[in-house]
Every structure is written in structure tokens, then in C-alpha cells.
Amino acid sequence: MSTEQTVALKKVLKPIHLWAIAVGLVISGEYFGWNYGWGVSGTIGFLIATLLVTIMYVTFIFSFTELTTSIPQAGGPFSYAHRAFGWWGGLIAGYATLIEFLITPPAIAFALGSYTHFLYPNITVLETAFACYVIFITINMFGIKESALFSLVVTLLAVGELLLYVGIVAPHFSYETFVTDPMPFGWQGVFAALPFAIWFYLAIEGVAMVAEEVEDPKRTISLGYIYGILTLVILALAVMIFTGGVANWKLLSTIDYPLPAALGIVLGRDSSWTQLFASLGLFGLIASFHGTIIGYSRQIFALARSGYLPSFLGQVNTKFQTPHWALLTGGIIGCVALSLGTTDQVIIIAALGAVVMYIISMAALFALRKKEPNLERPFVVPAYPYFPAVALILSVICLIAIVYYNIVLSLWFFGGLVIVTGIFIASGKHKTLN
């Protein structure tokens, strides 16, 4: 019997698994990437950008939870936008989400390679990065329950490590250090820093990609999202503020391992704590890398199942009930991205995909409230319409800022969307998917 039939995904995930996936997807953002925001805004400028983005994500997640619990499908944003707007909405949301989840793993793989290189200089960054793809795609092949258990373990270790890090550096915090040259580029720098502030939370919406694999999704999804975003807000603000108070931001704004570097400044590079943290820091990166692989594979699977991508990508292995072709294809694309880009470029493109998806998701929420008022909504966003409106407005501001400061990368992103749309219409698929 063939093991490549289109069979259902397995429903095994509980609230603790979803919390682990939500936090695990994002937690690498606390370990690296955000510090590039200091380079364009300074500490206070980046703090302002982060607070704006935090408001955006809190209002977005409460709004997005209404969509995810109402339409618990593996396509996530693609499913909501398709239901609200038809083929073109599904295409935009699917493209944006796919870019986000295909491009985020290479950025994390870069950091995994950098952390490993920090510990073992003889091992190159790309050697580690490519090895990570092979190892974690293999782990994901064995089933979602096994993958979720792995996520839970490494996420708990990563959260514990960040709390330990804050405990070590907090006594060395200096307000004078934190406010040294705090906004060298003024308000312009605040807007330039927005994509790096987004990196603190980017990909938490990936929980929606496993909605079909959740036990009791109407209750479980909301718990996973809400506890996840609260955990991440606390960690993001604590890590950024305390790190900014122990070393001049200019020393840490261009590297992929800011936390071990900060510990190295405080305790000495050869300190056992510094070495231990660099070793354990891999857990946070591994949690996010593993989670984003789950995310991209489920998005590819859902798009293929719905006719937006070649049908073979929607096949599920009958033994392990995992979308194996989707896992492998996304891994190949990620390895190509590793070979072509740098960490800051990859973060910006991933942020572009994210904010476009946030915009169309919030638009879909408003549209479905009018189009399907009787749709069962197990979780209703509080303070409607204000929460989704705030999320929508801040997402648009972020999009404008990212495009303004990154014209060439934005042209690549939107040029790809135009090409994909042209191919889609030329093939006539848009006529069959409304």
C-alpha cells in the first residue's frame, strides 16, 4: 500500500503543547535578531518601537484567536482570507504566510550557526545551519505528537534559561548605560526599527497551522495563544531592557549572539557562565527552528490541498501522518535562502510577509463578522471592533515603515506576489477556487 495518500492529520495536541509551540516558535527572537534594531534607533528608540509592536501583537492575537477557533484549519490565515474574500484573499494570505514561515527558519539557522561558531570556532556557520535542517526535518517526519513533545521540552529549557540570564545581568544594570545615545536617529529610527521589534513576536500565529491537530480546538487554541503572548511580552521586555543596561548598544547591534556577548562583557568571555549560556542558548533557537518547520510544512500542505500548490505537496504519510513532501520542499527552499541572504535581510523579508498576513487577517475578521454573523465563534475578541482595528492600523504603519526603509527587498517581495498572481490567473485556477 502506498504511504502517500491524502489522509487526515492526527488530533493529539493539548493546551500545554500549544503554549510550547506558540512560545517555541517565537522565543529565538529574544536570543538574537532584535538587537539589529538598536543599530537603527538606539535603546530608547527601539524601546518605543517595541512597545508599539507589543500593542499590535496583543490586539492581533486576541483578534486572531477568534478566527482560529472559528475556522480551525491547517491553512490558518489562508483559510480565513479565502473564506472572506475568495481566491484572491487566499492567494495573498497564503503567499505572505508562506514567505514568513519559509524565510524565518534560515534566519534562525544563521543564529544557530553563529552560536555554535562562538563555542567552536572551527565549525563554520553554514555547516551547522545545513545540518540543522537535516536533523529537524527528520524529527518532524515522525509525527506531530512527538514533535510537540520535543517543542515542550526545549521551550521550557529556553524560558528557564532566559529567566536565568535576566537574573545574572540584572545586578549589573545601569540606567546611565541604557540611556547613552538613546535616540541617535530620532523618530525616523523608531520606524526603521519596527521590523526588528516584530522579530520579538514574529511567527506566534503559527499555532493556527496546527489547528487541525488539536484536541478540543474551541477551548485549547485560545488558552495556548493567550498564555503564549503573555509569556513572550514579559520575556521580550526583560531581555531587551536588561541587556541594554549592561553594555553599550553599539557593541551588540551587529552580531547574531548578543546575549552570550553581553554575558561575556559582564562576566568575561571565558567565564563558565558565559560558556554555559552559549551552550544552553541553543535550546531557544532550536525551539523556534523546530516550530517554524512545523509551521511551513502545514502551510504548504494546506495550500496544496486547496489547489494553490501542486497536489503532491498535500500528501500525508499514512504511517506517521505528517506532510513529508511539504517538509522536504520547504527545507530545500530554506537552504537556498541560507546561501543567498544575511540575517538582517532575512528578518526584514519575514517581517514583510508577517505584516501583510496580519493586515489581510484583520480585514477577514471584519468581513466575516458581516458576511457570516451566525458563524460559531467559541472565542470572541474583546473590545470589538477596537482590538482588531488597532491591530490593523499598527500593521499598516509597520508595512509602510518596512517598505520605506527597505525598497529593494520590498520590490522582491511584492514582485514575487505579482508573478505568483499572474501565473495563478494564467493557469485558470482562480475560476475553480471561489
Side-chain angles (χ1 to χ4, degrees), residues 121-417:
N122 292 332
I123 302 176
T124 69
V125 171
L126 285 180
E127 284 174 351
T128 300
F130 289 134
C132 286
Y133 266 100
V134 174
I135 294 167
F136 290 101
I137 286 175
T138 302
I139 291 173
N140 271 277
M141 288 285 190
F142 287 109
I144 187 63
K145 187 173 183 179
E146 293 74 14
S147 297
L149 180 60
F150 181 85
S151 290
L152 177 60
V153 172
V154 293
T155 299
L156 287 171
L157 289 169
V159 170
E161 185 190 16
L162 287 178
L163 294 174
L164 177 62
Y165 168 80
V166 170
I168 292 172
V169 300
H172 302 274
F173 177 83
S174 164
Y175 177 77
E176 289 74 20
T177 301
F178 188 76
V179 297
T180 300
D181 201 11
M183 291 181 68
F185 308 106
W187 286 98
Q188 185 176 356
V190 173
F191 289 99
L194 287 173
F196 302 106
I198 287 170
W199 190 247
F200 269 133
Y201 305 107
L202 184 141
I204 187 173
E205 65 278 2
V207 170
M209 312 303 174
V210 297
E212 286 186 33
E213 297 160 277
V214 174
E215 288 183 358
D216 190 16
K218 295 174 183 178
R219 171 181 170 273
T220 301
I221 291 171
S222 59
L223 292 174
Y225 266 138
I226 292 167
Y227 289 131
I229 191 67
L230 290 175
T231 302
L232 291 164
V233 168
I234 293 168
L235 291 174
L237 293 175
V239 167
M240 177 191 59
I241 291 170
F242 283 111
T243 304
V246 299
N248 189 300
W249 60 264
K250 294 177 183 177
L251 299 175
L252 303 174
S253 61
T254 59
I255 56 177
D256 283 347
Y257 47 93
L259 305 193
L263 279 179
I265 292 169
V266 170
L267 303 176
R269 182 185 172 101
D270 296 327
S271 163
S272 57
W273 279 110
T274 303
Q275 295 295 316
L276 177 64
F277 187 86
S279 301
L280 295 178
L282 296 173
F283 286 121
L285 303 176
I286 286 168
S288 291
F289 187 72
H290 179 69
T292 49
I293 286 177
I294 295 174
Y296 82 60
S297 63
R298 270 55 179 181
Q299 186 66 11
I300 292 173
F301 163 80
L303 288 168
R305 185 178 60 181
S306 298
Y308 284 82
L309 290 175
S311 59
F312 80 93
L313 294 172
Q315 293 171 351
V316 176
N317 185 284
T318 53
K319 181 176 181 181
F320 300 114
Q321 290 178 271
T322 51
H324 52 297
W325 288 118
L327 281 163
L328 292 170
T329 302
I332 292 169
I333 294 170
C335 288
V336 172
L338 273 173
S339 305
L340 299 177
T342 60
T343 301
D344 55 341
Q345 292 173 329
V346 169
I347 287 173
I348 289 164
I349 293 175
L352 262 174
V355 294
V356 168
M357 185 273 283
Y358 300 160
I359 290 168
I360 197 162
S361 294
M362 292 302 95
L365 189 151
F366 284 114
L368 288 170
R369 279 288 187 109
K370 290 186 176 181
K371 184 178 178 181
E372 300 188 44
N374 297 321
L375 176 66
E376 184 183 2
R377 292 176 170 85
F379 179 90
V380 177
V381 57
Y384 180 88
Y386 302 108
F387 266 37
V390 168
L392 178 59
I393 291 166
L394 290 176
S395 296
V396 170
I397 291 171
C398 287
L399 177 62
I400 293 169
I402 294 170
V403 171
Y404 181 80
Y405 289 104
N406 304 278
I407 296 295
V408 174
L409 291 174
S410 299
L411 286 174
W412 278 103
F413 176 86
F414 288 106
L417 177 58

Side-chain angles (χ1 to χ4, degrees), residues 83-119:
R83 189 155 173 168
F85 304 118
W87 72 268
W88 65 269
L91 184 67
I92 294 171
Y95 173 82
T97 309
L98 200 54
I99 291 295
E100 176 190 356
F101 277 87
L102 285 174
I103 295 301
T104 299
I108 302 169
F110 272 128
L112 279 163
S114 296
Y115 267 64
T116 305
H117 184 67
F118 178 83
L119 289 168

Side-chain angles (χ1 to χ4, degrees), residues 56-79:
M56 180 185 83
Y57 268 93
V58 169
T59 53
F60 169 76
I61 285 300
F62 274 95
S63 305
F64 198 67
T65 301
E66 176 176 310
L67 291 169
T68 308
T69 53
S70 302
I71 311 169
Q73 296 178 9
F78 147 73
S79 299

Side-chain angles (χ1 to χ4, degrees), residues 47-57 187 190-191 194 394:
L47 176 60
I48 294 169
T50 301
L51 291 174
L52 284 172
V53 166
T54 298
I55 293 169
M56 180 185 83
Y57 268 93
W187 286 98
V190 173
F191 289 99
L194 287 173
L394 290 176

